[in-house]
Amino acid sequence: MEDFNNWKDLLNPEFYIKLGGFWLILFIIFAETGLFVGFFLPGDSLLFVSGIYSIDIIRETFGSTGSDFFDTFILASAVAIAAIIGNEVGYYFGRRAGSALYKRPDTWLFKKKYLYQAHDFFEKNGALAIIMARFLPVVRTFAPIVAGIVKMDKKDFLRDNIIGAVLWSFLLIFAGHYLDKLFIDQFGIDLKKKLELIIIVIVLITTVPVILKFLFGKKQDFSKYENHKFDDEE
């Protein structure tokens, strides 16, 4: 079992893969939206690196199918299911108790501004927000809760939830797996030895747009939400 050395390990996807493998990966993906506390955990980078280790992960958990493609397919499918379930839990929480979050005091795990940002993102992008949010850190944690709060149609949410989860998991996991093979075959580069650089690149790609919007975007007035009223659960 991988040893925990310092807080930096919490940002390292390889740590979780070696610590708990298949089942811990699924729990983290579920927790990111289902428990809405996973926004500080690696999401996109975890899937990409899981793709690199997909053969080892499936072999150690179930035994290899003998096919790289099917091993990777099993991992991507399981991650997609965990992501779908997580979003559904977040959605139903939003429908039943989400409005109370706007009155909840900030903690180190929960910031109301993230909820406000997800709400604005949802209003701006409509139903596509659920699909798009999968590829945006922080936003994907709170988007399903907001969808529940605004009473998005259950069937529409499930449809967009499935599409977004499948696209997110399959694109990142298969990209990790096949790019690793490509770099080994064509350039003799083992991406497992370049994980720190890969994680930095993925984090920059996924978070820089959010950071730039925060720093240079139009100042948002979140006070409009303080006394906002939402319909009671039907």
Side-chain angles (χ1 to χ4, degrees), residues 49-145:
V49 176
S50 294
I52 295 176
Y53 283 98
S54 59
I55 307 305
D56 297 330
I57 293 171
I58 296 302
R59 183 179 64 248
E60 292 174 3
T61 308
F62 305 108
S64 177
T65 65
S67 165
D68 287 5
F69 174 83
F70 283 117
D71 284 349
T72 307
F73 182 86
I74 291 172
L75 178 61
S77 299
V79 167
I81 293 172
I84 291 168
I85 295 173
N87 256 20
E88 289 295 320
V89 171
Y91 171 80
Y92 280 99
F93 178 84
R95 285 187 69 92
R96 295 186 177 278
S99 59
L101 290 176
Y102 287 98
K103 300 177 182 179
R104 178 179 175 179
D106 286 349
T107 66
W108 73 279
L109 280 177
F110 174 82
K111 304 292 183 184
K112 280 190 291 186
K113 67 178 182 179
Y114 298 146
L115 192 61
Y116 300 151
Q117 289 166 354
H119 192 288
D120 284 352
F121 180 80
F122 186 89
E123 287 192 335
K124 180 179 179 180
N125 297 284
L128 281 177
I130 301 302
I131 298 174
M132 296 168 60
R134 277 293 177 192
F135 298 88
L136 296 174
V138 180
V139 174
R140 65 170 163 260
T141 299
F142 294 96
I145 301 175

Side-chain angles (χ1 to χ4, degrees), residues 32-33 38-46 113-115 117-118 121 129 131-144 168 172 199 201-211 213:
E32 190 170 27
T33 52
F39 56 86
F40 62 89
L41 296 171
D44 303 303
S45 58
L46 176 61
K113 67 178 182 179
Y114 298 146
L115 192 61
Q117 289 166 354
F121 180 80
I131 298 174
M132 296 168 60
R134 277 293 177 192
F135 298 88
L136 296 174
V138 180
V139 174
R140 65 170 163 260
T141 299
F142 294 96
W168 183 56
L172 288 175
I199 293 168
V201 171
I202 294 176
V203 169
L204 288 176
I205 291 175
T206 57
T207 61
V208 164
V210 178
I211 294 174
K213 180 174 177 59

Side-chain angles (χ1 to χ4, degrees), residues 40 105 118 150 191:
F40 62 89
V150 301
L191 293 187

Side-chain angles (χ1 to χ4, degrees), residues 21-36 46-47 74-90 134 140 144 157 161-162 164-166 168-170 173:
F22 180 82
W23 301 111
L24 183 56
I25 292 170
L26 297 190
F27 175 76
I28 290 173
I29 297 304
F30 166 79
E32 190 170 27
T33 52
L35 302 180
F36 42 90
L46 176 61
L47 296 195
I74 291 172
L75 178 61
S77 299
V79 167
I81 293 172
I84 291 168
I85 295 173
N87 256 20
E88 289 295 320
V89 171
R134 277 293 177 192
R140 65 170 163 260
F157 177 82
N161 181 19
I162 293 173
V166 170
W168 183 56
S169 59
F170 274 75
I173 289 176

